[in-house]
Amino acid sequence: MEQAQTVQLGRRGFWAISLTLFMIAYNVSVVPAIMPSIVQDLDSSVGYIQSILVLFSLVTASFAPTTENLCRFYGRTRVFVIGLIVYGIGIVLTSLSPTIAGLTVSFALLTGLAATPLISAPWTIADLFCQGKAAERAILVLIVASSLGGLSGGLLGGYLASNFSWRWAFLPSLGVLLVILVLRRSLPKLAVLSQQPIDWVGGLLSFLGLGSILLGVSLAGEFGWWEPKRVFSVAGLVIPPFQLSIVPTLMAVGMITLGFFVFWQRRQADRCGASLLRAGLLRKRGFVLGVLTSMLHVLITTGVQFNLYQFVPVALSLNPFRTALTVIPYNLTMIIVVVAVLKYLPLSGRFVPKYVLHTGIALLAGGIWTLYISLHLQVTSLELMPGLIIMGVGSGLFVSYITGLTYSTASVDEKPEGSGIYNPAQNLGSSLGRAILGTLLVFFASRDIVDGILQQLGKTLEPAQRGLVIAELQEMIQTLSREEIRTVLVNKVPPSIYPMLRSINLEAVNSGMKTSLLIALMFTGICFLFATTLPKYPATRS
């Protein structure tokens, strides 16, 4: 366990960790809001930008175990400051990226690695320095800070992208980073009790194992879950060299690597050597189920919001700023509810936290269903608002208690270890939300576009041939710019059909969005089932 060398966490120190979460949330949420501007400027595609966001979460989640190892050896505060510096460099390079490859390296890889200690440190410091009611308030304030970052990213970033350039959208986060660097001296110094060498072998195995699995999931939409939709090659070498998608290959490699990781950890524990993880909390059923419940909530909300940022510009013909204004009621409502819970519910004994959690999940499902029934070809921003508000109320109730209920089985000594598991799981949920729900939206929209064109032509295709055409269109949407897609369609679609493409596209996007919302509802049901296993009250309840 890490121990503090200072007596308490000062106000300036608390501002530092709160602004850190604000900054991370801002940059993650700003990318979907400015996506159309990036696609146009860098001559890229929505699919590439989606992959960059997935890769960011993948890198952050995969590097988390190694980060905890570094924190135990060098000290959390030192690693946190280094992460701030690297993160700032990554954001500067992101805003200056001349190509999509540069954007991938700077944002997904550089800031993804640097974000890992920046995400875990605030929660760990709050756990170590706050107890009882103070801990509840600290956690909820950090939640509000993160939510405000997401709100500001979509709104302010969309405004800057619409009126200036998408590159200016990252400027506010750099200003926040400079403030954090000024306040960093107020952060508590944590004594390092572990003097064992760093487990570099375990870190490499965990990173490669988790990274391979998550990368496989993120590539499923483009390359296929089993049968290959397209060939995956590196320097001309086709991988794998037989008729199988790269996705199961990557996932198999990841599982085998994680198996070696488990073997290595047991070997190190038996020899009392350097060990990356102390998996005591992973043996506690309540903690694991709480982590899974929270991860599913992140998957649902991230995936739905990501799809809305793709759906609204097409269906409502709005620019990035007005798109952000359309989606923002969810974030704003969630913040209001969390603040209300912070002020009233913890002070009252009339509410059972577990039942509040259940109510939140039920309202989240109700909001998704309200969104579903509100969708039609002439849908307006005002019609989307009720569903987003109901979702926001549900998420606000959920996030207010899920952390406390998850840690109910954890001792004080286990909380730092718990943060090293809990936070990466949230990043994994974010990655899966964009990968699964985002890919499904593209697939179902592609399917309905193909079927709509065939219907207008009065033709039918064999199932195998139809599947190939859908896969080809899906690949085009994910890899080509809008102008390139328009050019291809003009050359391939008969002139009599081209004037109808706009209406066919609208119907397909509307149908695809509805289907993705139904899938999100299914995940909500699973999330509710997991939540039924949690305790009624947090361990910190007095």
Side-chain angles (χ1 to χ4, degrees):
M1 174 187 175
E2 294 164 298
Q3 291 184 347
Q5 295 177 351
T6 55
V7 177
Q8 60 181 358
L9 177 64
R11 180 171 304 215
R12 289 166 62 88
F14 197 80
W15 269 105
I17 62 176
S18 300
L19 287 174
T20 299
L21 292 181
F22 177 94
M23 176 185 66
I24 300 293
Y26 175 93
N27 285 318
V28 172
S29 64
V30 79
V31 175
I34 65 177
M35 191 178 298
S37 300
I38 298 177
V39 169
Q40 183 177 5
D41 186 36
L42 300 184
D43 192 24
S44 182
S45 68
V46 170
Y48 275 128
I49 310 301
Q50 176 185 350
S51 299
I52 288 174
L53 283 169
V54 171
L55 186 60
F56 172 88
S57 299
L58 183 155
V59 171
T60 304
S62 301
F63 193 61
T66 301
T67 297
E68 289 302 305
N69 198 6
L70 293 172
C71 289
R72 290 201 298 266
F73 189 80
Y74 291 110
R76 191 171 299 276
T77 306
R78 181 184 299 179
V79 174
F80 174 83
V81 173
I82 295 174
L84 277 176
I85 296 172
V86 176
Y87 192 85
I89 295 172
I91 291 301
V92 170
L93 294 177
T94 296
S95 63
L96 299 176
S97 297
T99 63
I100 194 66
L103 188 71
T104 302
V105 173
S106 58
F107 186 82
L109 299 182
L110 200 57
T111 65
L113 287 172
T116 309
L118 302 184
I119 292 173
S120 61
W123 302 102
T124 301
I125 291 174
D127 282 337
L128 291 174
F129 285 86
C130 303
Q131 301 298 326
K133 292 296 182 183
E136 288 184 9
R137 292 178 180 274
I139 288 173
L140 290 178
V141 169
L142 292 180
I143 292 172
V144 171
S146 182
S147 301
L148 284 172
L151 179 70
S152 302
L155 198 58
L156 182 57
Y159 174 80
L160 292 173
S162 299
N163 292 276
F164 302 99
S165 167
W166 65 268
R167 301 178 188 276
W168 288 97
F170 293 98
L171 183 62
S173 66
L174 286 175
V176 174
L177 188 141
L178 292 176
V179 174
I180 299 170
L181 285 173
V182 172
L183 297 173
R184 77 187 190 281
R185 297 183 182 277
S186 302
L187 291 173
K189 300 296 187 285
L190 299 175
V192 183
L193 299 183
S194 174
Q195 296 300 325
Q196 286 185 333
I198 296 176
D199 184 11
W200 293 111
V201 175
L204 179 63
L205 290 174
S206 67
F207 183 81
L208 292 177
L210 289 172
S212 297
I213 293 173
L214 296 180
L215 183 60
V217 173
S218 68
L219 293 177
E222 184 176 353
F223 291 91
W225 283 101
W226 188 259
E227 295 183 0
K229 293 181 179 179
R230 54 181 297 197
V231 173
F232 183 89
S233 62
V234 177
L237 178 64
V238 177
I239 305 173
F242 40 83
Q243 286 299 311
L244 182 69
S245 170
I246 186 62
V247 173
T249 305
L250 283 172
M251 297 183 74
V253 169
M255 294 298 294
I256 293 171
T257 306
L258 286 181
F260 281 116
F261 169 71
V262 172
F263 170 79
W264 175 261
Q265 292 299 291
R266 289 180 176 176
R267 176 180 178 274
Q268 292 298 93
D270 292 340
R271 297 186 176 187
C272 297
S275 180
L276 189 68
L277 286 177
R278 295 162 296 179
L281 277 175
L282 293 179
R283 299 188 183 97
K284 295 184 177 181
R285 179 173 174 269
F287 177 80
V288 173
L289 290 173
V291 169
L292 291 175
T293 304
S294 182
M295 185 183 75
L296 280 172
H297 173 265
V298 174
L299 183 155
I300 296 162
T301 55
T302 301
V304 170
Q305 286 186 92
F306 181 84
N307 282 356
L308 283 171
Y309 274 110
Q310 316 320 310
F311 169 78
V312 170
V314 176
L316 281 68
S317 300
L318 300 181
N319 62 28
F321 178 63
R322 296 183 65 188
T323 297
L325 284 177
T326 300
V327 181
I328 224 68
Y330 165 79
N331 305 82
L332 187 60
T333 304
M334 185 177 71
I335 293 171
I336 293 172
V337 172
V338 170
V339 172
V341 170
L342 169 67
K343 188 172 182 180
Y344 297 112
L345 290 191
L347 304 179
S348 173
R350 295 177 298 170
F351 301 96
V352 178
K354 179 179 178 178
Y355 299 156
V356 175
L357 196 75
H358 288 167
T359 303
I361 299 174
L363 286 172
L364 177 63
I368 294 174
W369 177 251
T370 304
L371 272 181
Y372 176 86
I373 62 178
S374 68
L375 295 182
H376 57 87
L377 296 182
Q378 285 79 39
V379 65
T380 64
S381 298
L382 193 61
E383 290 174 303
L384 296 177
M385 188 178 295
L388 291 170
I389 291 175
I390 297 172
M391 283 181 61
V393 174
S395 287
L397 294 175
F398 180 90
V399 301
S400 298
Y401 282 113
I402 183 60
T403 304
L405 293 176
T406 300
Y407 280 88
S408 291
T409 58
S411 65
V412 176
D413 291 351
E414 290 175 322
K415 282 190 174 183
E417 174 192 346
S419 298
I421 300 171
Y422 187 87
N423 293 318
Q426 311 314 297
N427 291 320
L428 174 58
S430 177
S431 177
L432 291 176
R434 295 188 182 98
I436 295 175
L437 295 182
T439 299
L440 287 174
L441 173 62
V442 174
F443 169 76
F444 288 116
S446 302
R447 183 198 64 182
D448 291 344
I449 289 173
V450 170
D451 290 344
I453 294 175
L454 290 175
Q455 184 179 6
Q456 292 295 329
L457 291 173
K459 295 182 178 180
T460 59
L461 295 175
E462 294 294 328
Q465 186 179 3
R466 173 176 170 269
L468 289 175
V469 174
I470 293 172
E472 181 181 356
L473 179 58
Q474 186 178 357
E475 180 181 343
M476 286 170 52
I477 292 175
Q478 291 181 318
T479 58
L480 300 182
S481 66
R482 290 183 180 179
E483 291 298 326
E484 290 173 327
I485 294 174
R486 189 177 292 110
T487 301
V488 171
L489 290 177
V490 168
N491 294 329
K492 289 192 174 184
V493 174
S496 60
I497 299 298
Y498 187 72
M500 304 180 214
L501 283 178
R502 169 67 179 171
S503 61
I504 292 174
N505 185 43
L506 282 177
E507 290 180 4
V509 171
N510 191 72
S511 175
M513 187 67 195
K514 280 190 167 185
T515 305
S516 71
L517 288 175
L518 291 178
I519 303 297
L521 271 178
M522 180 192 72
F523 282 118
T524 306
I526 299 173
C527 182
F528 188 90
L529 290 177
F530 280 145
T532 59
T533 64
L534 299 178
K536 287 186 176 182
Y537 294 96
T540 56
R541 180 178 181 264
S542 58

